[in-house]
Amino acid sequence: MKFYIKTFGCQMNVHDSRRIEEILTRAGHQLTADSKDAELALVNSCTIREKPWHKAISETGRLRKRKLKGQNEDLIVGLVGCVAQQEGENVFELLSHVDFVVSPDNYTHLPQIIEDIQRERKHVSVTGFTEGRPEDFLSIQSVSPYEVSAFVTIMKGCQERCRYCIVPTVRGPERHRAPEHIFEEIHHLVSLGVKEITLLGQKVNAYQVGDVTFASLLARIDQIDGLERLRFTSPHPRHMTPDVTSAFGQLRTLCESIHLPVQAGSNVTLKRMGRRYTREEYLDVVSRLRKASPKISISTDLIVGFPGETEADFKETLSLIREVGFTAAFSFKFSPRPFTQAQKMDDDVSEAEKSSRLARIHELVNAQESAFRAGLRNTVMEVLVEGKGRMPKQLSGRTRNYQIVNFVSPETIEQAAGKLVNVKITQVNPNSLEGELV
Ligand code: SAH
Ligand code: SF4
Ligand code: F3S
């Protein structure tokens, strides 16, 4: 059967969609990039805020229209991902055109479910969490040509229960993967030509199995021959212990860039969010990181308009952005979610005020980002070649601090993919850098 996947949400979902692709391909199905060709359409959904939840629902609605119009009557529609776990069988009442619902821990059952539905059209819902056995972590079997960067899941779920967050409900309790299986997967990927690994988990640096801590895991991965770069996402500030911060600058592969969600700059707001660190503790992590790796670039996530956030609280977020010097930030308006404690709080910051705070953050972060990028002009940076560039004869890749660089090369992507090259930055564009090979 030809299948199509539409993916919403975070890197976990992006990674899961690739695993689903592998599972279905091994079962004899074929991926298509065009939903019009598909006999099976999957929507991999996110529910972190109301907006992505809506997007998933309207995407299945769009597929339904095609079914109703008779363009694709036999189309099988499946809802997977975090909305699947959140809603379970309720989905069929909400969206009768959906044939099945499968949550993130249950993707290995997909081939069987699809077979059952083909045999007898009926609604199927498979949700709930697995225990975290080795086979519960879907590892990458194959990579596409020139794929030099890959994600490796080291933990699933989250039980931090930040008061605004639905992730603990939809991704389940924390389960940490056995270190041997992590090493095995990375060795396999490196043997396929992968040069860069990003370790994945909702609270990735809380990792601990027996006496293997996150810092010791990083150190052991760093020893793997043929691996060039190591990253991780997303760490929680309260687990940025000195052994983790000092790994920067010490480990050969660990790149000078980190995404470290802070959410807010005011201690009152942080406390009310249940983040379990203070502004001062966050700044201490930042200063340890800068000491270990002076050129590290730091990005973050921010929420504006959390219940009770005053103008004075918000100004502390702005001052923290300046103090840390974030070079990028994903910022969101607070959105009340089911199953969270913040849903019971008074969502008292007006929509207009939330919009205005968001705009003020954008303005500040954009200015910092531009200044940081302008400072890269005329420097020579190491680029991992990952794809074709914007223009003919150009190649493109990322620097260790995560900037995209385009440059003219005598080599084709087939010849150059996965190589590390030095590029002198000659031009700074809004979304990319241009440079020359040195
Ligand atoms: N595990 C990661 C982030 C997961 S969710 C961490 O702990 O940092 C990604 C981002 O979505 C969060 O960092 C937060 O900024 C935002 N977010 C989560 N719940 C939200 C909500 N209810 N309203 C608005 N933004 C939210
Ligand atoms: Fe959500 Fe907090 Fe867990 Fe991140 S650490 S996934 S924000 S509960
Ligand atoms: Fe969204 Fe689920 Fe990720 S809710 S942010 S896709 S863990």
Side-chain angles (χ1 to χ4, degrees):
M1 224 183 337
K2 283 191 187 165
F3 69 97
Y4 165 82
I5 310 184
K6 174 82 184 173
T7 307
F8 298 99
C10 67
Q11 270 136 341
M12 322 277 151
N13 265 15
V14 173
H15 186 64
D16 285 352
S17 283
R18 293 294 305 276
R19 307 288 69 74
I20 294 173
E21 251 174 73
E22 282 185 341
I23 291 168
L24 294 183
T25 308
R26 261 180 284 146
H29 304 293
Q30 304 91 40
L31 181 71
T32 168
D34 185 355
S35 66
K36 291 193 199 81
D37 283 350
E39 296 152 278
L40 164 68
L42 296 171
V43 177
N44 193 359
S45 60
C46 171
T47 183
I48 197 77
R49 289 170 300 280
E50 202 184 346
K51 224 192 220 167
W53 183 90
H54 260 299
K55 275 192 196 158
I57 303 296
S58 50
E59 177 69 17
T60 66
R62 201 178 61 82
L63 295 164
R64 169 177 174 254
K65 262 192 215 138
R66 193 162 297 151
K67 260 169 113 164
L68 289 181
K69 279 190 194 155
Q71 289 165 337
N72 204 343
E73 278 169 36
D74 299 327
L75 180 70
I76 298 177
V77 178
L79 180 73
V80 300
C82 295
V83 176
Q85 179 60 40
Q86 181 189 336
E87 303 288 351
E89 293 190 334
N90 295 341
V91 169
F92 304 128
E93 280 163 40
L94 213 66
L95 305 157
S96 60
H97 54 285
V98 169
D99 296 284
F100 66 88
V101 173
V102 179
S103 73
D105 273 6
N106 297 289
Y107 295 148
T108 49
H109 302 304
L110 278 168
Q112 187 59 51
I113 293 168
I114 291 160
E115 227 177 84
D116 291 350
I117 291 175
Q118 275 179 297
R119 211 171 337 101
E120 107 186 76
R121 282 307 272 239
K122 58 169 187 189
H123 285 155
V124 178
S125 161
V126 184
T127 57
F129 305 112
T130 56
E131 290 132 53
R133 299 160 303 173
E135 61 272 28
D136 293 338
F137 288 90
L138 305 175
S139 57
I140 304 181
Q141 304 297 317
S142 58
V143 295
S144 339
Y146 331 130
E147 193 171 342
V148 298
S149 181
F151 291 119
V152 169
T153 308
I154 67 165
M155 53 115 56
K156 292 193 202 212
C158 182
Q159 46 207 50
E160 190 71 14
R161 297 211 166 266
C162 302
R163 298 211 171 95
Y164 50 81
C165 187
I166 194 173
V167 168
T169 305
V170 291
R171 288 276 170 166
E174 265 168 57
R175 286 139 299 160
H176 298 194
R177 190 177 184 187
E180 312 83 74
H181 295 106
I182 298 173
F183 300 134
E184 204 175 288
E185 180 166 15
I186 298 177
H187 276 291
H188 176 62
L189 290 170
V190 169
S191 78
L192 296 176
V194 167
K195 305 287 179 193
E196 177 179 271
I197 295 289
T198 303
L199 304 178
L200 213 52
Q202 288 293 0
K203 233 172 70 188
V204 73
N205 57 339
Y207 181 86
Q208 172 119 34
V209 172
D211 49 15
V212 182
T213 59
F214 185 63
S216 67
L217 186 77
L218 293 177
R220 282 173 65 184
I221 295 172
D222 187 60
Q223 304 284 315
I224 295 177
D225 253 357
L227 182 70
E228 301 290 356
R229 291 178 172 188
L230 180 58
R231 305 180 190 276
F232 54 82
T233 197
S234 284
H236 190 288
R238 81 183 176 91
H239 294 286
M240 289 301 286
T241 45
D243 55 349
V244 177
T245 49
S246 65
F248 287 88
Q250 260 176 33
L251 301 183
R252 169 186 67 94
T253 55
L254 193 59
C255 291
E256 294 74 33
S257 127
I258 187 169
H259 184 70
L260 188 60
V262 66
Q263 315 300 357
S266 135
N267 279 333
V268 179
T269 310
L270 285 172
K271 181 141 202 204
R272 214 175 300 118
M273 286 176 164
R275 286 294 285 180
R276 299 199 246 180
Y277 54 83
T278 61
R279 173 191 179 100
E280 292 72 27
E281 283 162 345
Y282 187 90
L283 286 170
D284 176 57
V285 173
V286 169
S287 87
R288 279 188 273 124
L289 284 169
R290 295 231 187 270
K291 209 166 150 203
S293 176
K295 290 202 165 157
I296 195 165
S297 60
I298 306 176
S299 59
T300 201
D301 287 350
L302 297 160
I303 296 176
V304 298
F306 187 77
E309 187 187 62
T310 62
E311 172 64 19
D313 290 327
F314 174 67
K315 284 208 172 107
E316 295 213 38
T317 295
L318 292 179
S319 80
L320 184 82
I321 294 173
R322 275 188 220 102
E323 206 165 330
V324 176
F326 291 119
T327 48
F330 297 101
S331 39
F332 311 101
K333 292 179 191 174
F334 168 69
S335 165
R337 304 307 294 132
F339 313 108
T340 64
Q341 291 188 50
Q343 196 196 21
K344 294 177 209 123
M345 299 178 184
D346 184 12
D347 186 10
D348 56 355
V349 181
S350 72
E351 189 59 26
E353 188 52 41
K354 284 179 185 168
S355 298
S356 141
R357 290 181 189 175
L358 211 56
R360 288 155 76 192
I361 286 180
H362 284 161
E363 195 187 340
L364 177 58
V365 173
N366 288 347
Q368 289 183 183
E369 185 176 7
S370 303
F372 161 70
R373 288 159 54 79
L376 299 176
R377 190 193 298 266
N378 291 327
T379 61
V380 174
M381 309 199 78
E382 181 199 273
V383 173
L384 174 64
V385 182
E386 290 178 69
K388 291 181 182 164
R390 287 195 316 155
M391 312 290 252
K393 295 198 177 150
Q394 269 190 341
L395 296 178
S396 137
R398 282 190 194 265
T399 63
R400 285 175 64 100
N401 61 11
Y402 218 56
Q403 300 295 309
I404 296 172
V405 180
N406 292 289
F407 58 96
V408 173
S409 167
E411 288 186 307
T412 60
I413 183 63
E414 288 79 0
Q415 295 166 319
K419 285 189 186 169
L420 293 169
V421 296
N422 285 321
V423 177
K424 183 174 177 184
I425 307 304
T426 51
Q427 198 183 317
V428 176
N429 301 329
N431 295 312
S432 65
L433 303 169
E434 307 277 325
E436 286 164 5
L437 274 175
V438 295

